[in-house]
Amino acid sequence: MPDTLAPDLAQKMHAYWRAANYLSVGQVYLKDNPLLEVPLTLEHIKPRLLGHWGTTPGLNFLYVHLNRLIKQNDLNMMYVIGPGHGGPGIVANTYLEGSYTERYPAIERSRNGLHRLFRQFSWPYGIPSHVSPETPGSIHEGGELGYSLTHAYGAAYDNPDLIVACVVGDGEAETGALATSWHSNKFLNPRRDGAVLPILHLNGFKIANPTVLARISREELAQLFQGYGYDPHFVEGGDPAVMHQALAEVLDKTLLQIREIQKTARSTGNAGKPERPRWPMIILRTPKGWTGPKFVDGKPVEGTWRAHQVPIADFKKPEHLKQLEDWMLSYKPRELFDENGKFREELAALAPTGHSRMGSNPHANGGELLKPLSMPHFHEYAVTVSEPGGVQAEATRVLGTFLRDVMKANLATQNFRLFGPDETASNRLEAVYEVSGKEWMAAVEDVDTDLSEDGRVMEVLSEHLCEGWLEGYLLTGRHGLFSCYEAFIHVIDSMFNQHAKWLKVSRTISWRKPIASLNYLLTSHVWRQDHNGFSHQDPGFIDHVANKKSDVVRIYLPPDANCLLSVADHCLRSRNYINLIVAGKQPEWQWLDIMSANRHCAAGAGIWQWASNDGGDPDVVMACAGDIPTLETLAAVTLLRTHYPDIRIRVVNVVDLMVLQPQSEHPHGMEDHDFDELFTRDKPVIFAFHGYPAMIHKLTYRRHNHGNIHVRGYKEEGTTTTPFDMVVLNNLDRFQLALDATTRIPRFSHRVAKATEYYWAAMERHKLYISEHGDDMPEVRDWRWKV
């Protein structure tokens, strides 16, 4: 068989790869003398050497070959790099293809540009060592390993012409998130979605240990990925001449497979369900630190874990300086760059042009492609509330009808999906199945319901996959919502961290256009997980979100269905935020009609005049945030007004948690005088909160009345019990709130003893009743708002 690459092309591609490697090493080591035009000295070396060499030459090798594939076949291709610590290689390649200079004109294609390119890498106020938002063509940071493949599949959904080449590092492959991600092929429809080409890069080592997949037999490795449903192609070796031909041949084969799969699925004569294909993948085995120093101080480096970061580090040794110079000169930079430092035209011509360059693919800057959702008017889905507490409804079920029609209105554009770990129906959102089933390409049995190869609901029992798919979907210019049980959203705490950091940095990069917000709906929450017990009871994600930068995060605690509709509509329309919505799914009393709810949510917090009788001078402010805290607060108000007809109570409800912060801390924050209008400057505030009490103190510690704010919330007490006993266990119940108010009103000091006695009697009555009947007392279970 003739070689895939003609000799001249193979020679030029090898030179291109040398150039990428040279620039990668230069970024790690040099602050001056970028073309080695004078002998290398210590003054040319950076004082702090940061970066990762080991994976970089393999990433460069792939980039060069993918360029050839793109140009030869006019492909629309993205590059997702799991080992994102190979950042110098991706920066080098985007620089060589010209997309880097287009984004950063100061890094021109010249000697001075090379100087700036090298100096900025891992330099104070320069660029990070990882692939980051600053890197053109990237949607995946890679600093935290495990999410490359799920991001790649998220990018491919509803992008029929896109191929996502995804490099999975063999260290990364050991993570649980990545191991699960291989199953994403069961959710990819070749008729309407793009393709993902996974490339498992086996270079054998992590920072200090061998990798698991590099130490099992070739047969076992092939069987593993065949079992996952892939057709693995092996490219293995260390001889560049042989490897160039081998990789080129395999890339041509895999592209042909992808096109055949898509052609079969999309042919007009194939109207039925497309068969689940066996997608191709590549297993690329190359030496770690390929083309780098083979030995340093007598110890092997290339092909070992010692190549992972900076192979030559101690320049107090003169021989190390000479070794670095020899290493860099081995790439023959004078053959690659002209006398002005410009990449030679005959080599630069190998790269694609325009948006075909992976560094300029518009899908990697999704805001450029983002189209607004077509939104139905949320008022049309409102619960009719003629009087506060006059009707019950399941808030998330009401939201489900709204989401159904959001999905319906955007079926033509195919830019909205709902994500969740096997809980869409459990979370009362099943109305969406009326317009779209659950995406499913695997086998279907008679007992299955709502499965569809064209589904727009993405369900899999992995929060990692749901989060990663959604992030990839958003970053490439689409919209979505992630619904999850509150306690188990913590599975993706780290993934949330990385996306929040990405958004924070992206805001400072002028060419990064705003993307649709990442929207979380947390339900099946702590106060209504009495039946599932302590393992399902945790509101701590609120704290996790609140720690992030105020220009990125928003937290909403709608007290009823109409407020949830208003909040959800706002969040789906927003850009560049992470919106956290916490709302219950159980039948609860409804408080506000839709117009009042909309005004209340727009303000973020407000006095509920219909529940208050303070006359402008309250004895106590009863504040609440969250649906069950609101219920318990209003029940406490009825107790107080029954026992103390002369009491003056102000009820304040908070929907947007961040309004509690000063405006100097968060753009939603209230000015001090507005905060004082609600909470007063000197009256006791009994605050019933959905989450951990410390959060309210953290948000309000600068306020005038902070010393008078007494918070009740979740304090890590839970078990399998009744709904009301959950609030009792955490001292959030109506009897406790009423006692708190009595205790803190100065003119009621003579009533505290009797109120305390009443409280303990109620607690005894409650405990005896639930122990005997297994349900809450009728006075609690059947309580209704009335004054």
Side-chain angles (χ1 to χ4, degrees):
M1 293 291 292
D3 287 338
T4 301
L5 302 177
D8 181 62
L9 178 58
Q11 185 180 22
K12 288 179 179 178
M13 288 177 65
H14 185 67
Y16 199 112
W17 181 45
R18 283 164 33 215
N21 288 338
Y22 178 83
L23 296 183
S24 299
V25 178
Q27 288 177 80
V28 172
Y29 282 99
L30 300 188
K31 64 177 181 180
D32 204 353
N33 193 15
L35 291 171
L36 299 184
E37 293 170 295
V38 298
L40 196 62
T41 69
L42 196 58
E43 285 69 34
H44 301 143
I45 306 296
K46 292 178 178 179
R48 300 172 68 243
L49 299 175
L50 305 166
H52 299 75
W53 165 246
T55 188
T56 298
L59 297 178
N60 291 342
F61 193 70
L62 285 165
Y63 206 106
V64 173
H65 278 264
L66 292 173
N67 277 347
R68 194 270 307 179
L69 199 68
I70 293 167
K71 189 169 182 180
Q72 185 171 303
N73 298 279
D74 192 26
L75 300 181
N76 179 8
M77 179 174 278
M78 284 177 59
Y79 196 36
V80 172
I81 308 96
H85 48 278
I90 312 307
V91 171
N93 276 285
T94 55
Y95 176 80
L96 291 174
E97 72 187 15
S99 55
Y100 201 91
T101 301
E102 288 176 14
R103 295 300 191 187
Y104 304 102
I107 313 293
E108 67 263 29
R109 303 174 85 179
S110 67
R111 179 185 292 101
N112 288 336
L114 285 175
H115 177 266
R116 295 187 184 98
L117 183 78
F118 286 7
R119 187 179 176 90
Q120 70 174 1
F121 181 82
S122 282
W123 192 266
Y125 304 104
I127 63 170
S129 64
H130 287 69
V131 178
S132 63
E134 292 95 337
T135 310
S138 63
I139 65 164
H140 174 79
E141 204 266 2
E144 182 173 40
L145 301 177
Y147 314 131
S148 59
L149 199 55
T150 182
H151 282 158
Y153 275 96
Y157 294 140
D158 296 319
N159 267 330
D161 299 324
L162 182 66
I163 299 177
V164 186
C166 178
V167 185
V168 177
D170 51 352
E172 178 185 27
E174 296 176 11
T175 66
L178 198 289
T180 302
S181 295
W182 295 110
H183 288 300
S184 297
N185 59 3
K186 286 81 172 178
F187 300 85
L188 190 80
N189 184 338
R191 182 177 292 158
R192 62 164 183 185
D193 298 328
V196 174
L197 177 60
I199 304 169
L200 176 63
H201 187 203
L202 290 177
N203 59 29
F205 295 91
K206 304 185 284 285
I207 293 176
N209 287 289
T211 57
V212 171
L213 295 185
R215 295 294 178 93
I216 63 177
S217 70
R218 194 178 196 271
E219 180 184 17
E220 187 178 355
L221 198 60
Q223 290 173 345
L224 174 67
F225 289 103
Q226 287 165 357
Y228 275 127
Y230 294 91
D231 179 19
H233 298 260
F234 285 81
V235 180
E236 302 172 284
D239 182 336
V242 174
M243 289 293 284
H244 279 301
Q245 295 293 349
L247 182 57
E249 179 182 354
V250 164
L251 283 172
D252 283 349
K253 286 181 179 178
T254 55
L255 178 61
L256 182 62
Q257 284 182 272
I258 289 169
R259 285 182 159 172
E260 284 297 319
I261 289 168
Q262 292 177 335
K263 180 181 177 182
T264 301
R266 297 171 187 180
S267 64
T268 55
N270 188 7
K273 177 182 176 179
E275 292 294 320
R276 179 167 70 88
R278 186 173 286 276
W279 293 96
M281 67 164 293
I282 296 172
I283 298 174
L284 174 68
R285 190 188 297 269
T286 64
K288 196 173 184 81
W290 197 12
T291 74
K294 293 190 174 355
F295 291 88
V296 176
D297 294 333
K299 296 178 180 178
V301 174
E302 185 188 59
T304 77
W305 55 269
R306 293 186 181 91
H308 182 78
Q309 290 178 303
V310 181
I312 306 171
D314 184 6
F315 286 96
K316 293 177 182 175
K317 299 179 179 180
E319 64 271 22
H320 282 191
L321 192 65
K322 180 66 167 62
Q323 192 171 15
L324 173 60
E325 185 175 47
D326 290 344
W327 175 17
M328 296 191 71
L329 288 174
S330 73
Y331 298 119
K332 303 176 182 178
R334 288 171 181 78
E335 294 181 5
L336 308 173
F337 302 94
D338 66 19
E339 61 278 6
N340 296 315
K342 186 178 180 181
F343 193 37
R344 294 192 182 276
E345 291 292 345
E346 65 271 20
L347 300 179
L350 296 182
T353 59
H355 287 318
S356 294
R357 295 170 297 176
M358 289 188 288
S360 294
N361 191 301
H363 294 283
N365 188 14
E368 292 184 339
L369 303 176
L370 184 65
K371 297 177 181 178
L373 284 174
S374 178
M375 296 284 286
H377 204 304
F378 70 91
H379 285 207
E380 298 173 3
Y381 304 84
V383 176
T384 300
V385 180
S386 56
E387 61 179 4
V391 64
Q392 284 191 324
E394 297 162 291
T396 56
R397 192 180 299 280
V398 174
L399 178 66
T401 62
F402 174 66
L403 293 176
R404 173 198 65 199
D405 290 350
V406 171
M407 191 170 285
K408 183 178 181 180
N410 294 279
L411 285 176
T413 53
Q414 295 197 336
N415 66 342
F416 177 79
R417 293 198 185 203
L418 179 65
F419 300 78
D422 193 33
E423 295 161 0
T424 303
S426 174
N427 288 337
R428 310 291 196 264
L429 302 176
E430 67 267 31
V432 297
Y433 298 149
E434 296 172 25
V435 296
S436 176
K438 294 172 280 190
E439 171 63 24
W440 188 253
M441 289 296 297
V444 177
E445 299 182 358
D446 291 341
V447 296
D448 296 329
T449 58
D450 300 313
L451 299 182
S452 169
E453 70 276 6
D454 293 318
R456 308 203 62 73
V457 180
M458 308 298 291
E459 286 199 25
V460 62
L461 197 52
S462 166
E463 288 83 0
H464 283 129
L465 274 191
C466 293
E467 174 78 12
W469 286 344
L470 176 55
E471 289 178 0
Y473 201 63
L474 298 175
L475 286 161
T476 49
R478 281 74 64 74
H479 306 256
L481 183 142
F482 183 3
S483 167
C484 187
Y485 277 24
E486 182 183 52
F488 304 125
I489 196 65
H490 282 295
V491 171
I492 56 85
D493 276 1
S494 271
M495 298 182 77
F496 157 83
N497 282 345
Q498 297 300 323
H499 192 73
K501 293 173 187 294
W502 183 280
L503 290 179
K504 175 187 179 294
V505 175
S506 294
R507 286 172 169 268
T508 67
I509 301 171
S510 60
W511 56 267
R512 284 276 179 194
K513 303 305 179 186
I515 62 172
S517 296
L518 172 54
N519 300 308
Y520 295 104
L521 171 65
L522 303 189
T523 185
S524 300
H525 62 52
V526 57
W527 304 113
R528 289 297 182 259
Q529 278 296 310
D530 46 277
H531 57 296
N532 277 323
F534 195 38
S535 64
H536 285 53
Q537 298 158 0
D538 188 333
F541 196 64
I542 292 173
D543 302 63
H544 190 54
V545 172
N547 284 331
K548 297 304 170 188
K549 295 294 290 186
S550 62
D551 57 356
V552 171
V553 295
R554 306 286 184 265
I555 302 173
Y556 300 98
L557 296 162
D560 65 4
N562 287 340
C563 289
L564 176 58
L565 285 171
S566 178
V567 165
D569 178 83
H570 170 76
C571 292
L572 288 174
R573 295 177 188 272
S574 67
R575 302 286 183 270
N576 262 16
Y577 295 134
I578 297 177
N579 297 309
L580 171 61
I581 308 170
V582 184
K585 68 181 185 182
Q586 302 296 344
E588 301 292 352
W589 295 113
Q590 303 300 297
W591 310 113
L592 303 181
D593 62 66
I594 193 64
M595 298 305 293
S596 300
N598 199 29
R599 289 192 297 269
H600 183 49
C601 293
I607 299 171
W608 281 4
Q609 298 292 354
W610 53 267
S612 306
N613 69 336
D614 62 294
D617 184 27
D619 290 312
V620 65
V621 176
M622 302 294 288
C624 46
D627 50 9
I628 300 308
T630 298
L631 172 68
E632 291 304 312
T633 293
L634 291 173
V637 169
T638 61
L639 284 173
L640 288 167
R641 290 173 68 174
T642 298
H643 286 85
Y644 314 127
D646 62 331
I647 193 171
R648 302 186 303 275
I649 300 174
R650 175 180 296 174
V651 177
V652 174
N653 182 266
V654 178
V655 181
D656 179 349
L657 194 62
M658 309 317 280
V659 303
L660 297 176
Q661 284 191 299
Q663 199 165 71
S664 60
E665 299 292 322
H666 196 285
H668 285 197
M670 287 187 282
E671 296 283 5
D672 280 340
H673 62 83
D674 293 322
F675 187 92
D676 294 343
E677 282 292 314
L678 296 184
F679 294 97
T680 78
R681 292 176 68 103
D682 56 1
K683 297 295 169 51
V685 178
I686 310 302
F687 204 124
F689 177 49
H690 178 88
Y692 291 99
M695 176 53 58
I696 300 300
H697 292 297
K698 176 181 176 180
L699 297 175
T700 62
Y701 77 97
R702 293 188 179 184
R703 299 297 191 177
H704 294 128
N705 203 26
H706 173 251
N708 284 319
I709 297 178
H710 177 73
V711 187
R712 295 290 185 180
Y714 185 66
K715 59 179 190 179
E716 208 65 23
E717 293 293 341
T719 185
T720 302
T721 184
T722 68
F724 185 65
D725 196 48
M726 269 301 298
V727 292
V728 169
L729 288 172
N730 290 277
N731 297 113
L732 185 67
D733 62 276
R734 60 199 66 182
F735 299 107
Q736 180 69 69
L737 297 175
L739 178 60
D740 289 341
T742 305
T743 302
R744 285 166 176 78
I745 298 173
R747 68 186 182 93
F748 282 9
S749 59
H750 63 289
R751 294 170 164 170
V752 171
K754 187 174 181 180
T756 303
E757 183 180 343
Y758 176 83
Y759 167 77
W760 285 112
M763 291 298 98
E764 183 179 12
R765 193 168 70 254
H766 157 70
K767 292 293 185 181
L768 289 172
Y769 190 93
I770 65 170
S771 297
E772 182 176 352
H773 299 280
D775 199 2
D776 287 321
M777 299 183 295
E779 68 185 86
V780 170
R781 189 181 63 241
D782 303 331
W783 175 88
R784 294 188 63 175
W785 168 257
K786 58 183 178 180
V787 293

